[in-house]
Amino acid sequence: SYKLLPERLYSPAAEDFNKMVEEALKEGVEFLATSGFRSKEEQAVLYEKYINDPDNNPPAAKPGKSKHNSGLAVDIWPLGRNASKRSPSLSYKVREWLRKNAGRYGFKRTDRREEWHFVWSPRSEIQPGWYTKITFEEWKVKVSKYNVK
């Protein structure tokens, strides 16, 4: 299965991601998630790799500054020959499908340098950037009033 392990993403986001993958597969578009939640320690390792060798490692935020630390960000990787070590290089088909459909599942591309990086933000009532300004526990309280599923 191409589904993301639920413990690597906030569970409502994982549910929406899995629905998105299922719909894409029905349309012949294949991709998977390679990264969801990251601890600050895991982020530190990726950040050091990027800082020490940026030509062979994808961009990585400083520990505590990554949206992955909240459990709301996911990196999408293509299946097949388009994947490389440095970046996933999404195929046109995957890129276009995500551009047209990811928002229906609450996912938005938030970094123009990283076409594979999406953040789950299903409610327009929540201001852009909220996920970097509050803790995960504060976020759960904030969105509970919207009955996010």
Side-chain angles (χ1 to χ4, degrees):
S1 169
Y2 300 124
K3 294 186 177 186
L4 180 69
L5 297 174
E7 69 270 14
R8 299 306 292 175
L9 198 61
Y10 177 59
S11 59
E15 290 171 17
D16 285 348
F17 182 82
N18 290 334
K19 288 175 190 173
M20 182 171 70
V21 169
E22 288 170 8
E23 188 61 33
L25 285 171
K26 289 177 189 174
E27 297 179 32
V29 177
E30 296 182 320
F31 55 85
L32 53 82
T34 58
S35 185
F37 170 79
R38 291 184 202 139
S39 68
K40 288 183 181 178
E41 294 78 18
E42 290 171 310
Q43 189 66 34
V45 169
L46 293 175
Y47 180 70
E48 285 302 316
K49 285 182 178 181
Y50 172 64
I51 292 301
N52 293 325
D53 190 6
D55 292 335
N56 291 305
N57 291 287
K62 291 180 180 181
K65 300 292 184 183
S66 172
K67 293 159 188 73
H68 286 280
N69 297 146
S70 68
L72 302 175
V74 63
D75 288 343
I76 294 175
W77 210 263
L79 296 177
R81 59 181 167 71
N82 291 316
S84 73
K85 182 179 177 185
R86 174 154 165 47
S87 68
S89 185
L90 299 178
S91 69
Y92 176 79
K93 185 176 181 179
V94 170
R95 212 172 28 250
E96 281 302 295
W97 193 92
L98 289 168
R99 184 184 64 76
K100 292 176 182 174
N101 297 290
R104 292 187 2 222
Y105 299 91
F107 288 91
K108 298 176 185 175
R109 204 175 127 206
T110 58
D111 187 333
R112 63 186 168 95
R113 299 172 305 151
E114 299 179 357
E115 66 180 7
W116 58 86
H117 180 81
F118 286 78
V119 174
W120 186 71
S121 177
R123 298 285 188 240
S124 60
E125 293 91 340
I126 301 172
Q127 296 300 312
W130 59 268
Y131 40 79
T132 60
K133 297 176 182 158
I134 62 175
T135 68
F136 187 53
E137 292 304 315
E138 291 169 327
W139 178 83
K140 288 195 299 188
V141 170
K142 184 176 180 100
V143 298
S144 66
K145 66 182 177 184
Y146 297 113
N147 194 24
V148 175
K149 60 173 212 141

